Amino acid sequence: MRKLILLILSITAYLNINAQTSDDSCVQPAAIVDGLFFDKSMHTKSLIPGGSTMAVLKDPEGNMVMAVYLPQGYVLEESIIEKAIPTDRVKYAKRLLRDYEGRRPQTTANYTGIGVTVGEPFIEFEYLDTENNVWNNEKLKDKVYVINLWQTECGPCRREMPTLSKWKEQFPDVVFLSASRHNTEEILPIVNQHNFTWTHLQEATDLVALVRQQGFPLTIVVDKKGIVRFAKVGASEENQAEAVSIIERLSGK
């Protein structure tokens, strides 16, 4: 009998050790989006489009996990889905998914997207830059150009400015324009501080309106025929790499 008890205790200890090891190797998720788990490495703008509904969940250890319910009509890009954490690697996955479904709202907003569509002509516009030069579609005819929409309150906008300036050095034949709702006095201190060397359009309200509910920054690449070839919100490395690839192709570099 004693041997049997010792055997049971040994097996129990073995299982507990292995359970702890397995649990220790699991990932603590930061968010659940459309039933998929993501950690903190994912850029927020990629996961939470405008119109999303959010709630805060807690796992059994008290760790907070953001629950994101996408607006109707919005579909996560494949490149984002590929970065989701497999369920079997997530701590308390079943419990969190149960709570996620339990908090699902009865209704969600319709996704409206941004006000520009890849494959279609860019909108007509005309604005002054910070040196009072006029910029419009006619001036940009037969040129590849890039427009970055930003605002002073946007931290990611500021952080990507030095990177964007490198694009201008890399592609001297491409026109690089930034656009904001601000005037020259508001723009210059910020762009000088962050070494943002693009041409800056001021009080560009029609262009800024293209962001809609999706937030800043919004980067748009337009080809020589005035057709939009890239338009995405966010300052993630993935967005930047995709934009550079398209600029490279359009400019023949």
Side-chain angles (χ1 to χ4, degrees), residues 21-33:
T21 303
S22 174
D23 188 61
D24 289 343
S25 68
C26 287
V27 178
Q28 171 63 46
I32 307 176
V33 184

Side-chain angles (χ1 to χ4, degrees), residues 21-212:
T21 303
S22 174
D23 188 61
D24 289 343
S25 68
C26 287
V27 178
Q28 171 63 46
I32 307 176
V33 184
D34 205 26
L36 300 174
F37 292 98
F38 295 92
D39 61 22
K40 293 180 180 179
S41 67
M42 281 301 300
H43 197 273
T44 305
K45 282 292 180 186
S46 303
L47 297 175
I48 311 177
S52 297
T53 303
M54 289 171 281
V56 176
L57 308 178
K58 286 188 177 181
D59 69 16
E61 296 178 11
N63 298 306
M64 290 190 296
V65 180
M66 182 66 69
V68 180
Y69 305 92
L70 301 177
Q72 294 182 38
Y74 186 86
V75 179
L76 288 174
E77 295 182 12
E78 286 298 325
S79 59
I80 293 175
I81 294 174
E82 290 173 358
K83 294 182 179 179
I85 307 167
T87 303
D88 59 4
R89 290 189 54 226
V90 175
K91 263 188 176 184
Y92 309 113
K94 290 183 179 180
R95 167 80 173 268
L96 288 170
L97 285 174
R98 183 201 68 187
D99 293 347
Y100 178 82
E101 291 301 329
R103 296 288 297 275
R104 184 180 291 278
Q106 292 184 346
T107 59
T108 54
N110 290 319
Y111 178 68
T112 57
I114 55 177
V116 58
T117 303
V118 173
E120 294 186 1
F122 191 56
I123 66 168
E124 296 290 324
F125 70 94
E126 182 170 292
Y127 289 106
L128 295 175
D129 65 22
T130 52
E131 297 180 355
N132 290 321
N133 299 307
V134 176
W135 290 88
N136 54 32
N137 305 76
E138 185 62 28
K139 186 171 183 177
L140 293 163
K141 188 177 180 179
D142 299 324
K143 297 180 183 295
V144 175
Y145 61 96
V146 184
I147 297 181
N148 177 262
L149 306 179
W150 63 282
Q151 63 177 358
T152 57
E153 302 90 336
C154 170
C157 299
R158 296 187 183 214
R159 287 193 291 272
E160 76 167 353
M161 287 178 177
T163 297
L164 298 183
S165 294
K166 294 178 182 178
W167 296 7
K168 185 176 179 180
E169 298 174 7
Q170 187 177 352
F171 303 102
D173 297 328
V174 174
V175 178
F176 291 94
L177 305 170
S178 86
S180 70
R181 59 180 169 79
H182 310 295
N183 59 34
T184 298
E185 289 71 26
E186 296 169 307
I187 292 170
L188 291 181
I190 293 173
V191 299
N192 290 336
Q193 178 186 358
H194 296 282
N195 189 32
F196 195 13
T197 59
W198 291 21
T199 297
H200 307 292
L201 305 184
Q202 57 176 314
E203 299 180 332
T205 52
D206 287 345
L207 296 180
V208 172
L210 296 175
V211 173
R212 294 183 177 171

